[in-house]
Amino acid sequence: MSLASYIGCNIELPINDDEYSDDSFYIGRCFAGDSELQNLKKYQFTNPYVYEVSSHWGIEISEYMNQETCTESKVKLLELCKRMDSYLEKGDYFELYSCWIGDETDKREGEITLQINNFDIDQIEIPEKTLVRFEK
């Protein structure tokens, strides 16, 4: 099984569907198919556009992860916020949700709201099945 991360937003984004890209992080498909994206739109997100975000493993930040994977997730999250900040207008938001492939319809285990440019990456915890709303 694979942990995947997804975003929901109100705008179309440029995607990179080349899963073998040299980029360490990209917006495009890696693990998810159309049914997973549709389930996320229906069960998790409030926005019409849903994308997988990847570097071949999802974003999860929790005390139960090994340190290397947690550090990689922090780097990915900061890169995601940087990219989304360039796409969104003031007052917009995007949502992030990570789960194991096949768990897209499961009940959320948590929800948090953060400011896109105003959070301490070392003080947050984002376990799987947590919906995170990033506001600009």
Side-chain angles (χ1 to χ4, degrees):
M1 294 204 36
S2 299
L3 183 74
S5 291
Y6 308 93
I7 58 172
C9 58
N10 65 342
I11 58 171
E12 286 190 74
L13 299 175
I15 60 170
N16 177 356
D17 271 338
D18 179 7
E19 68 181 75
Y20 302 105
S21 171
D22 289 334
D23 290 343
S24 61
F25 175 84
Y26 61 92
I27 297 171
R29 293 191 183 191
C30 184
F31 302 121
D34 289 337
S35 63
E36 285 86 7
L37 297 177
Q38 287 301 319
N39 283 334
L40 286 153
K41 189 183 292 190
K42 182 176 180 180
Y43 292 98
Q44 305 303 338
F45 293 129
T46 62
N47 282 310
Y49 298 102
V50 176
Y51 303 93
E52 185 175 5
V53 292
S54 184
S55 65
H56 303 293
W57 196 253
I59 297 171
E60 181 181 6
I61 301 171
S62 83
E63 63 182 301
Y64 303 107
M65 298 180 61
N66 73 52
Q67 189 62 37
E68 182 180 343
T69 305
C70 191
T71 299
E72 289 173 6
S73 286
K74 289 177 180 182
V75 170
K76 288 186 245 183
L77 181 60
L78 291 172
E79 176 64 24
L80 174 61
C81 287
K82 179 180 171 185
R83 288 189 191 185
M84 292 305 294
D85 187 38
S86 71
Y87 299 135
L88 299 176
E89 300 293 328
K90 184 164 178 60
D92 284 344
Y93 66 93
F94 77 95
E95 298 161 312
L96 171 71
Y97 188 78
S98 298
C99 65
W100 294 95
I101 293 292
D103 290 350
E104 291 83 8
T105 62
D106 288 1
K107 184 179 178 189
R108 293 181 203 146
E109 294 181 4
E111 291 184 42
I112 58 176
T113 299
L114 298 170
Q115 296 300 310
I116 197 169
N117 289 318
N118 191 22
F119 63 91
D120 183 343
I121 193 70
D122 294 318
Q123 298 298 313
I124 62 169
E125 189 164 313
I126 304 175
E128 65 178 275
K129 296 184 183 176
T130 299
L131 182 72
V132 184
R133 178 180 166 129
F134 288 92
E135 298 176 341
K136 181 168 180 173

